[in-house]
Amino acid sequence: MAWGLCLTLFQVQAQDDLLAQLEEEAEEQTRYTIATFKGTKVVNLQSNEMPAEGVLQYTFMHRFGAFNNDFFYNFLGLDNAQVMLTLDYSPYDWLNVGLGHTGFLKTYHAYAKYRLLRQSEGQQSSPVSVTGFSAAYYSAQRYNDDLPRNTANRMRYVNELVIARKFSSDFSMELVPTLVHSNLVEEVSDNNSVFALGVAGRYKITNMHAISLEYVHQFNPNQYLDPATNTLKNYSNNLSIGYVIETGGHVFHLFVSNARGIAEPYVFAENTGSWADGDLHFGFNISRVFTLKKPEKLR
Amino acid sequence: MKKTALTIALTALVINLSAQKLSTRSGKVKFFSDAKIENIEAVNKQVSSVMDLASGKFAFLVPIRGFVFEKALMQEHFNENYLESDQYPNATFKGRIANTEAIKLNKNGEYQLKLKGKMKMHGVENPFSEEVTLTVKDEQVHLHSQFYLKASDYQVEIPAGKKDNINNRLEVTVNIDYDK
């Protein structure tokens, strides 16, 4: 009986399916998740995506004037649009460094994005990708006031920790604990450090089109004086809804957001726009990539 | 005693069998598309393959994510929009090579052989037959083949706007060095 079983087993092995064997082996290999988001930003939040090693990326971001500010007179807000330009490069697969400028408070910034963990299946598996983003911002704005506007006091810093997961080929989400630090704040009672948590998701409608949604909640928001009502109000939390269109070399990201400033500190911790008041802005991000160094594996 | 004898016999058989089985995990597949606007080339060096010289049974597996393109964005589009590697992670072939028993591993030589079986890619399976060249050099076996595949045969759609960038007919080159 036992021998019979043994023989049967052997026979099964002898006429074994070679492909099944290969498929089994392939299952065990580590497979990294790719394309969790389209583009390196969701709207204002960073996504977990980074340009590949040897790739130079140029992004062009626009925020139009508000819906509730003479929208048609200002040609749908185009006449008082804010612009931010960034240029970044990935010297390694896990590191991306860049520079940027925006007209809002004449801000220059430098940033680094670094991959800490990649979502994967198989031998080495991880349910999420973890990516860090750190940036320093310098505002060159001219002021006519008594505050000490030295270099240190013109600095702001943002750190984001992007924890992302691709749930299916269509649906991805991320949680982004965020810290915004300003060296100078307006009132003594203001917080220099504002803690926030961002949540963002994207859903693919077709292979080339997707919708995206993001919300960034501040836990200790600072206040500002609203000129319209002459009362103190909390800075708004950022909420944006976007539509992503992908073409060959570009990613177009169109959205509506209550944030006017484009640089992260202004979006997350100094945003006065409110959805309830119609203080909304059309905006778009466009990115273009250039391969400066061909992948080694190609040779 | 009998049991031991059987075990030895079985082990010997298994060893014998595995001796005729060639395998590797680092085979190469390259594809090339020449279209009006651009040429696209991608290389995959993670191809696994097994060949049983006694029976001629042959299989290979190409992990779609293993294809490396010159442009990373192209690689992403290939996976996301064309081959849909989340759903269909591998391209596979399963079949037979005729007359492999004629191959002498202890003698250098070249053999032109017929390959026949089923190619599966993007969830679509098609019958496939092609000539392959097997080369034996210093007891190492090398398999080479070059052929054309049509993307449309595997329901990989090239949108009208991309017809000048991507050729529906792809030249595929397979080079597999089996482990000694």
Side-chain angles (χ1 to χ4, degrees):
Chain A
M1 174 64 197
W3 287 14
L5 202 77
C6 232
L7 273 169
T8 323
L9 248 166
F10 176 69
Q11 230 154 16
V12 168
Q13 192 134 47
Q15 50 147 273
D16 61 355
D17 187 337
L18 299 184
L19 183 57
Q21 184 189 329
L22 293 179
E23 277 169 343
E24 218 169 278
E25 280 173 18
E27 268 305 295
E28 287 164 18
Q29 301 284 310
T30 306
R31 281 155 291 136
Y32 292 106
T33 304
I34 60 158
T36 307
F37 285 91
K38 287 190 195 295
T40 53
K41 279 185 131 188
V42 181
V43 175
N44 294 305
L45 283 169
Q46 294 291 325
S47 78
N48 69 312
E49 298 296 333
M50 289 167 53
E53 182 179 340
V55 171
L56 181 80
Q57 178 179 241
Y58 169 65
T59 64
F60 185 77
M61 299 172 232
H62 239 83
R63 305 287 186 274
F64 293 179
F67 289 7
N68 60 2
N69 174 21
D70 264 332
F71 191 54
F72 294 101
Y73 177 69
N74 286 321
F75 196 62
L76 311 177
L78 187 71
D79 292 349
N80 41 17
Q82 292 285 344
V83 179
M84 182 157 95
L85 306 173
T86 66
L87 189 69
D88 57 51
Y89 181 71
S90 296
Y92 305 105
D93 204 35
W94 55 271
L95 179 69
N96 176 255
V97 288
L99 295 169
H101 173 74
T102 177
F104 194 85
L105 296 186
K106 306 284 178 214
T107 304
Y108 296 84
H109 72 291
Y111 57 95
K113 198 167 173 177
Y114 33 93
R115 184 178 279 138
L116 302 170
L117 189 66
R118 287 177 81 177
Q119 185 181 340
S120 57
E121 325 166 273
Q123 198 174 30
Q124 270 184 303
S125 81
S126 161
V128 293
S129 292
V130 180
T131 311
F133 171 81
S134 301
Y137 304 79
Y138 173 80
S139 163
Q141 181 81 13
R142 289 183 187 138
Y143 289 93
N144 243 335
D145 59 19
D146 302 334
L147 289 169
R149 302 286 181 180
N150 55 30
T151 304
N153 282 344
R154 288 175 174 276
M155 299 299 294
R156 290 172 173 83
Y157 305 92
V158 168
N159 282 294
E160 294 177 40
L161 192 68
V162 182
I163 305 163
R165 177 170 167 80
K166 190 178 194 178
F167 286 91
S168 71
S169 58
D170 298 331
F171 179 63
S172 302
M173 258 193 90
E174 65 177 28
L175 285 177
V176 189
T178 301
L179 169 65
V180 181
H181 182 88
S182 306
N183 280 356
L184 181 71
V185 286
E186 283 176 19
E187 302 294 331
V188 183
S189 58
D190 280 350
N191 303 307
N192 286 91
S193 290
V194 173
F195 294 91
L197 180 67
V199 187
R202 77 101 197 246
Y203 184 77
K204 263 161 75 176
I205 304 164
T206 71
N207 278 337
M208 308 289 199
H209 297 249
I211 47 173
S212 57
L213 187 69
E214 79 171 24
Y215 176 68
V216 185
H217 184 84
Q218 305 162 90
F219 294 103
N220 55 341
N222 287 327
Q223 294 189 314
Y224 70 100
L225 186 69
D226 182 15
T229 57
N230 205 25
T231 53
L232 282 176
K233 273 188 174 175
N234 280 349
Y235 279 115
S236 306
N237 294 321
N238 161 245
L239 176 67
S240 311
I241 298 171
Y243 190 78
V244 188
I245 305 162
E246 198 178 0
T247 67
H250 295 80
V251 177
F252 287 100
H253 204 148
L254 313 171
F255 47 83
V256 175
S257 172
N258 62 344
R260 175 104 199 282
I262 312 178
E264 284 83 356
Y266 313 131
V267 174
F268 300 147
E270 295 173 46
N271 176 18
T272 55
S274 134
W275 275 77
D277 300 340
D279 199 359
L280 301 175
H281 307 264
F282 274 132
F284 62 82
N285 297 343
I286 297 175
S287 74
R288 175 87 206 179
V289 291
F290 305 92
T291 306
L292 298 191
K293 203 174 79 186
K294 286 182 193 176
E296 268 168 38
K297 283 180 200 157
L298 203 61
R299 295 292 137 231
Chain B
M1 188 58 207
K2 254 186 176 174
K3 221 171 178 178
T4 323
L6 184 79
T7 313
I8 290 166
L10 262 171
T11 315
L13 257 168
V14 169
I15 286 169
N16 196 17
L17 249 169
S18 62
Q20 290 162 334
K21 237 193 233 176
L22 301 168
S23 70
T24 183
R25 269 191 189 179
S26 52
K28 280 179 219 163
V29 167
K30 186 174 90 175
F31 79 76
F32 182 73
S33 141
D34 63 326
K36 253 186 220 162
I37 295 179
E38 61 185 338
N39 291 340
I40 298 172
E41 187 186 38
V43 180
N44 193 324
K45 296 183 181 175
Q46 299 170 25
V47 177
S48 59
S49 173
V50 189
M51 182 173 12
D52 182 355
L53 286 181
S55 65
K57 278 183 186 170
F58 169 78
F60 71 66
L61 180 144
V62 184
I64 299 299
R65 297 252 177 96
F67 278 103
V68 178
F69 289 68
E70 187 182 323
K71 292 178 182 166
L73 203 59
M74 231 177 228
Q75 193 166 323
E76 184 179 316
H77 292 164
F78 171 75
N79 279 285
E80 284 281 290
N81 305 342
Y82 294 97
L83 271 287
E84 300 176 285
S85 63
D86 274 339
Q87 281 134 288
Y88 314 108
N90 305 311
T92 58
F93 176 86
K94 182 179 159 179
R96 257 172 214 281
I97 300 177
N99 300 327
T100 46
E101 67 274 8
I103 295 168
K104 290 186 182 70
L105 283 178
N106 52 7
K107 206 179 139 198
N108 289 355
E110 200 177 281
Y111 306 84
Q112 294 287 340
L113 303 170
K114 280 265 184 213
L115 169 81
K116 206 174 167 188
K118 282 171 179 167
M119 185 87 81
K120 194 173 178 183
M121 187 162 57
H122 195 229
V124 182
E125 196 173 68
N126 284 320
F128 182 87
S129 59
E130 192 56 53
E131 288 240 313
V132 296
T133 310
L134 278 182
T135 316
V136 180
K137 200 185 171 197
D138 304 332
E139 290 178 29
Q140 187 168 23
V141 180
H142 174 85
L143 181 146
H144 169 84
S145 184
Q146 193 168 51
F147 50 87
Y148 289 94
L149 286 182
K150 277 188 179 154
S152 52
D153 287 347
Y154 295 89
Q155 288 171 20
V156 177
E157 280 172 49
I158 298 160
K162 294 282 170 208
K163 292 256 193 277
D164 288 345
N165 300 75
I166 309 165
N167 196 331
N168 184 47
R169 200 181 77 139
L170 302 163
E171 183 193 85
V172 182
T173 312
V174 181
N175 276 305
I176 301 173
D177 278 317
Y178 288 95
D179 301 339
K180 269 190 190 175

